[in-house]
Amino acid sequence: MDELRFSARVTSRPDGQADVRVRKRSFEVGAPLTFDNAYDGITAVEQLLGSLGADLVNGLLNRAKKRRVEIDSAEATVEGELDNALMYLDVVGEKGTTAIKRISVRLYVSTFATAEAVKAVWAETLQRSPLANTLKRAVKLDISMKIAI
Amino acid sequence: MAKPIIIGAVLYDPKVSVIWDIIREFFDQNGCPCDVVFFTNYELQVKALMDGQVDIAWNSPLAWVDAQRQSKGTCRAIAMRDTDQDRVSHIITRRQGGPKTLLDLKGKALAVGAKDSPQATLIPVGLLQRAGLTPEKDFKVRRFDLLVGKHGDHIGGELEAFKCLEKGEAAACAMLDMNWERWSGDGTIDPGQFGILATTDRFDHCVFTVRKDFPKALEKKWLKVLFSMSYDNPKHREMMDMEGLKQWRPGRTTGFGPLSEAVEKQKFFKKGR
């Protein structure tokens, strides 16, 4: 079987954003990261964190549907921490890298299903998550799930 | 395009870089392009200023004293914030049962900030020295060395010093007047329990510093743009609020006496940093 590849085409724009085209859809990404709360764009780092959260939230709901476990909704808060953010700003004398060193995900599930059923689907979700499985090889990944009725 | 003027600044928090982005853009828009180089500590920044790698250094008061020391008094202090002028530090104690005079600190502990903090360590310790007390002989110095090298830019050391007083592990602590006002206003400090025992002489804080060979014409052009910032202009106000000023003022060198005296008495540069 040929290797299945997924692709995106990314094009710069004069305003500092980039257009990302995938299949017949597109979205925009801004600077690699920002320290300015008023920055008008979504950074690459924020996209990464959002993508991981979406992978887990949507992955969980898709698998729950498949296993006929009823879940009303799920919400994830995702936080990432750089090894040394000052390196991004070229601060003379700083040490370290701009790599993300730690990501924590807190996932909250709203459901009347049994905890046992939800936990089984959640375990399956983690086993099959493309992003969680990739990132756990590169960063300290701390993921937890809590059931809320 | 004219060659940009290189400004040096010490950065302890990435969010502070946003202020410098605004300043850089402002100077660009006003025909005086600047680039900003960030340093992790003032020692590196002063070295870069001396070596000609930066044209203008945004120096802490201690970095100013160091630059003057290294340049044999030839640097120029060209601009500072209104809020950099005439600051004081307070010695804070408990109102009930605390020392009533500086001499009452004999045999007790004074909690201070980082070892290179002018406002939270060097100048307040200097005040006790003026009163005739010798550190580590007449009184113990409880130092909170947070982010050494950044000259007390980060308020963490001062706050830890106050907590030390609050826990009863020191008889007094030192802090900048602005922090006393802020913390006694926001509930961090209960002014009913803690009060000011003594206050230092007035001193000046940060200052834009240039070497003697920085061209006067370029300095004039740069200062003209800097001084054109107005707190009445909403676009300028955002940055000025972030940087904590209402007006840029010409630099002066008359406000570094208490620090120079403290550095000398405490042999700060001789002891190594």
Side-chain angles (χ1 to χ4, degrees):
Chain A
M1 191 179 95
D2 287 343
E3 264 186 55
L4 180 58
R5 290 182 184 176
F6 298 92
S7 67
R9 176 175 294 182
V10 185
T11 316
S12 67
R13 284 194 336 218
D15 63 359
Q17 305 280 320
D19 286 317
V20 184
R21 291 182 183 81
V22 291
R23 294 170 288 109
K24 290 178 180 173
R25 307 294 297 268
S26 71
F27 57 96
E28 61 178 34
V29 184
L33 59 89
T34 184
F35 305 107
D36 183 0
N37 288 335
Y39 175 68
D40 189 21
I42 300 166
T43 68
V45 168
E46 289 161 344
Q47 288 270 354
L48 175 73
L49 300 179
S51 295
L52 174 61
D55 174 320
L56 295 171
V57 163
N58 293 336
L60 177 72
L61 265 77
N62 289 345
R63 288 191 175 274
K65 194 174 175 186
K66 202 169 155 186
R67 302 287 175 226
R68 301 187 189 284
V69 174
E70 206 170 312
I71 288 179
D72 293 334
S73 63
E75 184 176 323
T77 56
V78 187
E79 286 180 354
E81 190 185 333
L82 298 193
D83 176 45
N84 184 353
L86 293 172
M87 290 299 289
Y88 183 72
L89 296 166
D90 306 319
V91 177
V92 176
E94 284 291 329
K95 292 189 176 87
T97 75
T98 55
I100 295 173
K101 71 171 177 188
R102 192 161 56 113
I103 297 177
S104 72
V105 184
R106 300 281 171 267
L107 196 126
Y108 303 91
V109 182
S110 173
T111 180
F112 284 108
T114 64
E116 193 181 21
V118 176
K119 281 177 184 169
V121 176
W122 174 237
E124 202 175 272
T125 302
L126 288 177
Q127 277 172 10
R128 300 286 182 265
S129 161
L131 293 191
N133 278 305
T134 304
L135 290 169
K136 75 180 184 188
R137 298 179 190 184
V139 304
K140 187 168 183 278
L141 192 57
D142 169 25
I143 303 177
S144 66
M145 185 273 291
K146 199 170 181 180
I147 298 168
I149 297 171
Chain B
M1 192 172 119
K3 187 176 164 236
I5 293 170
I6 310 295
I7 303 175
V10 169
L11 202 68
Y12 66 88
D13 180 344
K15 285 180 184 158
V16 180
S17 68
V18 176
I19 298 172
W20 289 102
D21 286 342
I22 297 170
I23 292 174
R24 186 176 180 266
E25 197 180 325
F26 177 75
F27 273 87
D28 276 357
Q29 286 167 353
N30 285 277
C32 186
C34 294
D35 281 342
V36 182
V37 178
F38 295 123
F39 294 89
T40 191
N41 60 49
Y42 283 104
E43 196 175 349
L44 287 173
Q45 178 167 292
V46 171
K47 185 177 185 309
L49 178 69
M50 294 299 119
D51 292 347
Q53 290 160 352
V54 301
D55 299 310
I56 303 174
W58 180 229
N59 271 346
S60 74
L62 185 61
W64 160 259
V65 171
D66 194 16
Q68 285 299 73
R69 184 182 68 94
Q70 293 190 39
S71 69
K72 304 200 184 321
T74 61
C75 284
R76 296 197 298 275
I78 62 170
M80 59 205 329
R81 299 168 295 193
D82 50 356
T83 45
D84 284 313
Q85 296 185 339
D86 298 322
R87 296 264 60 87
V88 292
S89 287
H90 299 307
I91 305 293
I92 306 297
T93 56
R94 283 190 181 276
R95 290 188 187 279
Q96 295 285 327
K100 299 295 174 207
T101 69
L102 285 178
L103 291 176
D104 291 344
L105 283 170
K106 198 164 184 176
K108 297 190 169 70
L110 171 72
V112 299
K115 68 176 180 180
D116 56 8
S117 171
Q119 64 271 11
T121 303
L122 297 166
I123 295 173
V125 168
L127 180 70
L128 268 71
Q129 287 178 301
R130 273 192 194 176
L133 300 176
T134 304
E136 305 303 354
K137 183 181 160 213
D138 295 321
F139 66 98
K140 185 170 171 54
V141 179
R142 290 286 309 269
R143 222 169 59 200
F144 290 89
D145 275 333
L146 267 74
L147 298 179
V148 171
K150 293 173 173 59
H151 295 186
D153 281 359
H154 188 272
I155 57 170
E158 268 165 272
L159 193 56
E160 287 303 312
F162 170 70
K163 286 178 184 170
C164 181
L165 164 66
E166 198 175 33
K167 283 189 279 188
E169 294 169 4
C173 75
M175 69 178 68
L176 186 67
D177 56 347
M178 293 166 108
N179 290 331
W180 164 253
E181 282 155 27
R182 187 195 306 171
W183 291 335
S184 57
D186 70 9
T188 305
I189 297 175
D190 176 1
Q193 279 194 59
F194 299 95
I196 298 169
L197 170 70
T199 297
T200 65
D201 280 355
R202 290 178 181 187
F203 58 86
D204 285 354
H205 210 260
C206 295
V207 60
F208 281 116
T209 309
V210 298
R211 288 181 318 278
K212 68 173 179 183
D213 59 354
F214 185 62
K216 285 275 177 65
L218 210 51
E219 177 182 320
K220 197 173 166 187
K221 184 181 173 185
W222 189 82
L223 287 176
K224 190 178 172 190
V225 176
L226 184 75
F227 294 149
S228 73
M229 278 188 198
S230 167
Y231 197 74
D232 295 331
N233 183 331
K235 283 183 184 170
H236 303 176
R237 188 180 304 169
E238 182 194 359
M239 186 287 296
M240 295 172 94
D241 279 339
M242 288 166 87
E243 187 58 28
L245 77 155
K246 289 202 166 48
Q247 187 188 38
W248 288 106
R249 289 190 182 162
R252 65 182 191 186
T253 58
T254 52
F256 298 104
L259 179 60
S260 299
E261 182 189 314
V263 162
E264 188 64 31
K265 277 188 181 167
Q266 292 162 42
K267 299 181 174 56
F268 180 82
F269 292 112
K270 286 176 188 155
K271 280 195 286 193
R273 284 170 255 187

